[in-house]
Amino acid sequence: MGQIGIEKETLKMMIRENVKTLYRKNLETASAEEIYQAAVFSLRDLITDKWIKTHDTYSEKNAKIVYYLSMEFLMGRFLGNALINMGMNTVIKEVFAELGIDYNTVEEAEPDPGLGNGGLGRLAACFLDSLSTLELPAYGCGIRYHYGIFEQKVENGYQVEAPDNWLEDGDPWGIRRNEYAVEIKFGGHVRAMLKENGGYRFVQEGYQSVMAIPYDYPVVGYGNNTVNTLRLWDARAKNRIDLKYFNEGNYQKAAEEETLAKTLTDVLYPADEHYQGKELRLRQQFFFISATVQRVVARFKENHGDFNLLPEKVAFQLNDTHPSIAVAELMRVLVDENDLPWDQAWEITQKVCAYTNHTIMSEALEKWPLDLFSRLLPRIYQIVEEINRRFCLELTEKYGNNPEKIRRLAIIADGQIRMAYMAIVGSHSVNGVAALHTEILKNQELKDFYKLYPEKFNNKTNGITQRRWLLHANPQLAELITEKIGDGWITDLAQLEKILPYVEDEEFQKRFMEIKRANKVALAKYIKSAKGIDINPDSIFDIQVKRLHEYKRQLLNVLHIIGLYNKLKMNPGLDMVPRTYIFGAKAAAGYRRAKLIIKLINSVGDVVNNDESICGKIKVVFLENYRVSLAERLIPAADVSEQISTAGKEASGTGNMKFMLNGALTVGTMDGANVEIFDEVGEENIFIFGMSAEEVQEKYNGEYDPWSVYNMNQEVRMAMTALIDGTFSNDTCLFRELYDALLNGFGGSKADEYFVLEDYADYQRAQMAVDYAYRDKERWARMAIYNTAKSGKFSSDRTIKEYAKEIWSLPSVPIEF
Ligand SMILES: *Cc1c(COP(=O)(O)O)cnc(C)c1O
């Protein structure tokens, strides 16, 4: 079952043959990249039959399908994961060993496609893995960016961005589907034409168009026959520049369309949790949404005459507001292209669409200026206006003539379209991504909408796939667990609780910690080769990896390291467990302060790592180009997981879950899913510190003067002073901005907006508790095992089951093969 039956010899032959046909080489002379490509071609053949069967079955059974609409899919490398899910992981290693080729080198030769910024894109990838594993009919729909998130380099301590040309050596997983190309229209104007039966038909004229071409990527389920599809849309000019247009005087237009198609899918916007009202971004959004909606409706019409059935056959899940234009585009297709009356179309649209909110940070909320929106999407704009008009009428009926309230809730206000509000009004479900986050949505950020539509609101705590984040990333630990409790956990993570009886088992503790140490040794070796820094595998590996954001408070972590360094300088004999602080983080290219924090981390590292007087008690390492493949290397080697956001700001976090699964202990605030991790493991197995979300809110509304912390806390004072006294840079002005941002406010922001100084003392206390706990090897092992054992809740399988049951009403469809 699920295994793809294939002889090793056949596989060897296929790889050998593919190297020959593709590169005119034999295995002995081919590079790792070439062998990788040849291996993919061999495996793709094996996947294809199941892939075809999956889609035939969906058609035959007329199954309901969910379309997960997302601007980002941060998939990570395909090969290793696909092999694991195909049950070929062991076979392939044997095959390569017998061929005399190092399998790891081949896996490492695959580019790590960065078609996402961070957590949101990675969530979409984990969801696809779970959907296939749970045999749920699904498509992921997004954009085939030619350049993903930039490759980060560090030069002289500063982040430098380089393009990520992931398609350079070809795209062996993607299959181009010309037959499903659709036309996407931008700009022009709308003409109302009288229909024969009265009423108007609205026609867009004078537009520019591009063709959307889908590329399909297989998403292999674990241990079953399901292969779902990730469909990424690419753009191509409809009208190539040619003499015909030139002669018609249309050269200009043809050239414009060609340029539009070229730029449309070129790059992913590298800003995470930050919205810029860029026209190209809106074009990208409409491009992949219009393509998806048109294709979905066309497919529906092949089998059905009655549009009232659409919600029984199709679900759209909107991953944040980026795809929320789907609400208006579905209305356009139903009303304009299929002659449905508005009310009927609206009911269908609401039943089809569901919206996931990912953030309450105001700078991340998408609002499009009316002039830009109406110029780019004239017909969609009219539809949004009509949606808004009817919604405001509904509000008036409910609340009477209350202009203030209507202005607060309207989809269009202050010359802008608020995409989140359109998504809420046009969906039957609005979900947050962790319990605390959903409560904040209901009681604060979206309070008015919650009162209006309480039935729409629900929580779906995020999750991660254990196939990538344990089975693939940490094979030794996976094996130990399987040896003890069997392999049921791979598709049912709650079964990890079966290792609870081993928490007290000395032998198990020993093996668990030996694996952790082996992972640490491997990471130390990598760090030595990548950065030339020697780190001690017996030190505590304390890791903070995630996007660089002020709210995630990497600055709190560094400031505390500076505080510790100061203490060591004053007292080199300080009794502490040696600690290695490891960071990884990309900053949005235009986010100056985030980039300065990266420079600070590197500068602190330069000083601390080279100061012999502290006898190697602390090391600070910044690993460049944090991405999925680096995460897979780091997380299994972590002792401590830093999840220290300002409470109330991190919607969920998923990094926190990956660390927990791999037996790292969390140092964290009561924020996002940390709260639920705390609930699972209990206060004795986690290091919680800092203000609660409520306390943060109170402080924010009340008086907060960071100077009072500065004056009262000598350690804080000394750490702050080190920012500006030349300790970490000869240029004493270099880090002045960070100093000022914390104490005085800077560049329009409040002083210490994220309460770094306010939470410092308690963070320091929590870190002392970590040091203390680690000295007791047995206690630490118990805590680490306990964390792994209790991480079952955080499987994306659990999350997806909840979406399928409570939002999509989506039955599974097993594939017979
Ligand atoms: C999991 C993951 C994230 C999200 O991490 P958070 O700590 O939840 O912000 C970001 N980037 C990569 C590469 C990841 O794997």
Side-chain angles (χ1 to χ4, degrees):
M1 197 253 348
Q3 298 280 114
I4 290 187
I6 180 162
E7 296 291 328
K8 278 200 264 178
E9 290 311 314
T10 318
L11 202 51
K12 284 185 203 166
M13 196 189 68
M14 286 170 85
I15 295 172
R16 217 186 280 281
E17 284 303 308
N18 278 322
V19 168
K20 219 190 272 173
T21 18
L22 287 168
Y23 303 106
R24 221 188 48 195
K25 285 188 183 171
N26 54 40
L27 278 178
E28 290 65 38
T29 52
S31 67
E33 283 76 18
E34 289 163 345
I35 295 171
Y36 157 73
Q37 298 266 350
V40 175
F41 275 94
S42 314
L43 294 166
R44 218 176 69 175
D45 281 352
L46 300 175
I47 295 173
T48 304
D49 290 330
K50 286 189 176 186
W51 204 359
I52 292 170
K53 185 72 186 171
T54 299
H55 286 277
D56 287 351
T57 308
Y58 294 165
S59 296
E60 279 159 26
K61 301 220 162 139
N62 200 2
K64 181 169 186 175
I65 298 180
V66 62
Y67 296 85
Y68 195 80
L69 310 180
S70 179
M71 283 286 269
E72 305 186 6
F73 287 92
L74 192 53
M75 299 294 284
R77 291 180 176 136
F78 278 80
L79 179 62
N81 205 243
L83 285 169
I84 279 188
N85 285 6
M86 289 161 74
M88 292 183 60
N89 195 32
T90 317
V91 176
I92 203 81
K93 282 178 186 158
E94 288 168 12
V95 162
F96 277 109
E98 286 167 26
L99 289 170
I101 295 165
D102 177 29
Y103 171 67
N104 283 332
T105 317
V106 176
E107 243 190 56
E108 293 281 324
E110 176 173 358
D112 182 347
L115 308 188
N117 273 286
L120 174 138
R122 184 54 229 173
L123 182 76
C126 284
F127 279 4
L128 292 187
D129 185 82
S130 288
L131 283 160
S132 288
T133 299
L134 293 167
E135 305 181 309
L136 291 164
Y139 276 81
C141 303
I143 296 174
R144 187 173 181 263
Y145 302 106
H146 299 180
Y147 294 88
I149 182 78
F150 60 84
E151 184 189 337
Q152 180 193 53
K153 296 188 171 144
V154 173
E155 289 176 11
N156 190 26
Y158 290 97
Q159 166 174 305
V160 176
E161 300 97 25
D164 161 46
N165 191 358
W166 71 287
L167 291 168
E168 190 167 350
D169 297 326
D171 181 19
W173 296 103
I175 298 183
R176 179 177 167 135
R177 309 297 298 270
N178 284 317
E179 67 272 36
Y180 297 137
V182 285
E183 183 178 9
I184 314 294
K185 299 172 182 175
F186 293 104
H189 55 269
V190 179
R191 195 150 68 95
M193 304 199 314
L194 204 54
K195 289 196 283 196
E196 278 169 21
N197 58 349
Y200 289 95
R201 176 183 308 287
F202 295 89
V203 185
Q204 198 173 343
E205 293 180 336
Y207 52 83
Q208 292 181 326
S209 65
V210 288
M211 298 305 291
I213 320 281
Y215 283 72
D216 286 352
Y217 298 79
V219 183
V220 181
Y222 179 88
N224 60 32
N225 299 311
T226 298
V227 181
N228 282 321
T229 303
L230 167 61
R231 173 161 286 178
L232 301 180
W233 295 92
D234 208 337
R236 197 183 61 196
K238 182 176 177 214
N239 305 311
R240 294 285 157 127
I241 302 176
D242 64 24
L243 215 56
K244 182 167 152 277
Y245 287 97
F246 188 78
N247 292 339
E248 286 169 3
N250 230 345
Y251 182 84
Q252 179 77 23
K253 185 175 163 220
E256 274 170 15
E257 289 185 350
E258 177 115 337
T259 312
L260 174 59
K262 273 213 185 88
T263 51
L264 197 53
T265 53
D266 225 25
V267 291
L268 165 78
Y269 276 89
D272 182 64
E273 305 250 7
H274 188 86
Y275 155 77
Q276 311 155 288
K278 289 274 164 54
E279 177 171 330
L280 183 58
R281 169 86 171 182
L282 182 57
R283 280 187 195 269
Q284 288 183 336
Q285 294 182 350
F286 182 68
F287 169 77
F288 93 97
I289 289 302
S290 179
T292 303
V293 171
Q294 289 188 60
R295 179 61 211 138
V296 167
V297 171
R299 184 180 185 276
F300 176 81
K301 282 164 74 175
E302 287 165 15
N303 304 308
H304 302 276
D306 178 4
F307 273 104
N308 288 322
L309 290 176
L310 191 71
E312 286 171 36
K313 298 298 163 193
V314 170
F316 286 160
Q317 189 66 39
L318 280 45
N319 196 21
D320 211 329
T321 56
H322 321 144
S324 57
I325 210 159
V327 169
E329 174 65 357
L330 183 53
M331 285 300 288
R332 184 190 70 78
V333 171
L334 294 177
V335 173
D336 288 3
E337 295 187 358
N338 292 281
D339 280 326
L340 261 64
W342 182 279
D343 288 328
Q344 187 193 356
W346 184 241
E347 200 182 314
I348 294 168
T349 297
Q350 284 182 314
K351 283 183 180 162
V352 167
C353 295
Y355 159 59
T356 303
N357 176 287
H358 280 275
T359 185
I360 49 176
M361 306 255 295
S362 57
E363 60 268 40
L365 292 181
E366 288 190 300
K367 295 176 193 138
W368 294 105
L370 294 185
D371 55 346
L372 185 154
F373 196 97
S374 59
R375 181 165 47 75
L376 202 62
L377 308 168
R379 179 57 188 149
I380 294 294
Y381 175 64
Q382 290 179 337
I383 289 170
V384 175
E385 271 199 318
E386 182 61 13
I387 293 172
N388 182 54
R389 190 184 67 80
R390 287 168 183 250
F391 175 58
C392 292
L393 272 178
E394 185 187 324
L395 291 174
T396 308
E397 268 166 38
K398 189 143 184 160
Y399 300 115
N401 184 16
N402 185 343
E404 209 286 312
K405 180 141 198 161
I406 290 177
R407 216 188 58 82
R408 217 167 55 229
L409 292 178
I411 297 166
I412 301 176
D414 307 326
Q416 294 176 316
I417 302 177
R418 300 152 161 178
M419 300 306 272
Y421 293 4
M422 181 158 80
I424 295 167
V425 174
S427 299
H428 68 281
S429 164
V430 177
N431 75 281
V433 290
L436 174 68
H437 170 59
T438 301
E439 287 310 304
I440 292 174
L441 290 180
K442 292 199 298 196
N443 303 323
Q444 293 170 40
E445 299 302 311
L446 300 176
K447 194 166 91 188
D448 293 325
F449 283 99
Y450 178 55
K451 280 195 199 141
L452 193 57
Y453 306 126
E455 71 289 350
K456 291 192 184 187
F457 284 74
N458 64 94
N459 176 247
K460 295 286 168 285
T461 298
N462 282 166
I464 55 164
T465 167
Q466 64 268 31
R467 268 84 59 189
R468 184 174 290 270
W469 295 109
L470 180 52
L471 190 53
H472 184 253
N474 198 346
Q476 292 188 67
L477 182 57
E479 208 175 293
L480 173 63
I481 292 169
T482 298
E483 181 192 312
K484 296 295 178 195
I485 66 169
D487 64 2
W489 62 272
I490 298 172
T491 50
D492 177 14
L493 200 63
Q495 290 189 25
L496 283 184
E497 288 218 0
K498 290 189 198 163
I499 64 174
L500 281 176
Y502 296 97
V503 167
E504 304 288 341
D505 181 320
E506 247 175 68
E507 174 66 19
F508 188 85
Q509 289 172 1
K510 191 164 150 273
R511 288 180 65 192
F512 192 95
M513 295 315 287
E514 273 169 9
I515 291 166
K516 180 63 79 184
R517 191 168 191 286
N519 293 334
K520 289 168 74 175
V521 168
L523 179 59
K525 202 171 141 201
Y526 172 78
I527 287 174
K528 177 69 181 170
S529 75
K531 308 286 293 183
I533 301 173
D534 286 301
I535 62 172
N536 172 6
D538 293 313
S539 64
I540 299 173
F541 280 22
D542 181 324
I543 306 188
Q544 187 174 20
V545 283
K546 47 183 75 252
R547 285 298 290 251
L548 202 310
H549 261 291
E550 285 169 280
Y551 85 82
K552 291 178 183 274
R553 298 202 294 195
Q554 283 93 351
L555 193 50
L556 174 58
N557 191 344
V558 208
L559 213 58
H560 173 256
I561 295 170
I562 296 172
L564 193 56
Y565 176 62
N566 288 337
K567 265 191 259 183
L568 275 170
K569 292 296 282 179
M570 289 184 294
N571 175 15
L574 184 75
D575 183 19
M576 64 169 282
V577 182
R579 206 173 304 199
T580 303
Y581 294 95
I582 299 168
F583 292 85
K586 287 177 183 175
Y591 190 170
R592 199 191 58 239
R593 196 170 295 166
K595 291 175 126 176
L596 189 56
I597 293 170
I598 290 178
K599 171 64 178 167
L600 176 63
I601 297 169
N602 281 298
S603 298
V604 170
D606 284 344
V607 171
V608 169
N609 299 344
N610 296 308
D611 185 340
E612 286 176 12
S613 76
I614 62 165
C615 305
K617 280 187 177 154
I618 49 180
K619 287 276 165 82
V620 180
V621 180
F622 185 93
L623 286 174
E624 55 207 54
N625 207 25
Y626 181 56
R627 61 198 185 284
V628 174
S629 49
L630 185 57
E632 290 181 63
R633 213 188 259 282
L634 289 168
I635 292 168
D639 295 306
V640 172
S641 158
E642 297 272 354
Q643 309 299 336
I644 60 178
S645 52
T646 311
K649 298 286 182 191
E650 186 75 271
S652 165
T654 50
N656 46 3
M657 303 170 185
K658 301 168 196 164
F659 280 100
M660 177 195 192
L661 177 65
N662 283 277
L665 303 190
T666 305
V667 172
T669 47
M670 281 299 232
D671 198 15
N674 296 353
V675 176
E676 288 158 78
I677 293 178
F678 169 89
D679 290 343
E680 293 298 301
V681 300
E683 61 180 354
E684 65 281 15
N685 292 303
I686 191 168
F687 301 93
I688 295 291
F689 74 96
M691 288 189 284
S692 68
E694 270 177 26
E695 287 166 337
V696 166
Q697 198 57 42
E698 277 167 30
K699 262 255 168 332
Y700 195 83
N701 296 332
E703 300 276 297
Y704 170 52
D705 180 10
W707 280 103
S708 63
V709 179
Y710 178 94
N711 290 326
M712 300 283 288
N713 186 327
Q714 171 173 252
E715 190 175 318
V716 166
R717 202 156 56 241
M718 288 178 63
M720 289 299 292
T721 304
L723 291 178
I724 53 166
D725 72 356
T727 307
F728 300 112
S729 171
N730 293 330
D731 175 2
T732 53
C733 295
L734 184 58
F735 299 118
R736 182 85 209 187
E737 176 179 341
L738 299 177
Y739 180 92
D740 280 337
L742 289 176
L743 284 172
N744 302 318
F746 189 89
S749 61
K750 280 193 181 186
D752 195 12
E753 249 195 292
Y754 298 97
F755 303 106
V756 169
L757 299 188
E758 180 64 25
D759 272 350
Y760 184 99
D762 207 29
Y763 181 59
Q764 196 271 337
R765 178 201 53 77
Q767 289 289 19
M768 291 272 282
V770 168
D771 181 278
Y772 183 73
Y774 198 82
R775 290 163 196 245
D776 182 345
K777 290 275 170 285
E778 229 182 272
R779 175 180 169 206
W780 190 274
R782 281 199 305 270
M783 293 171 80
I785 298 166
Y786 200 81
N787 267 265
T788 299
K790 284 289 192 175
S791 60
K793 175 178 178 185
F794 303 106
S795 169
S796 47
D797 298 344
R798 187 268 311 148
T799 314
I800 284 296
K801 277 186 202 162
E802 291 176 6
Y803 275 92
K805 182 159 178 273
E806 295 162 23
I807 301 179
W808 307 327
S809 302
L810 184 71
S812 65
V813 178
I815 308 300
E816 313 282 340
F817 193 78

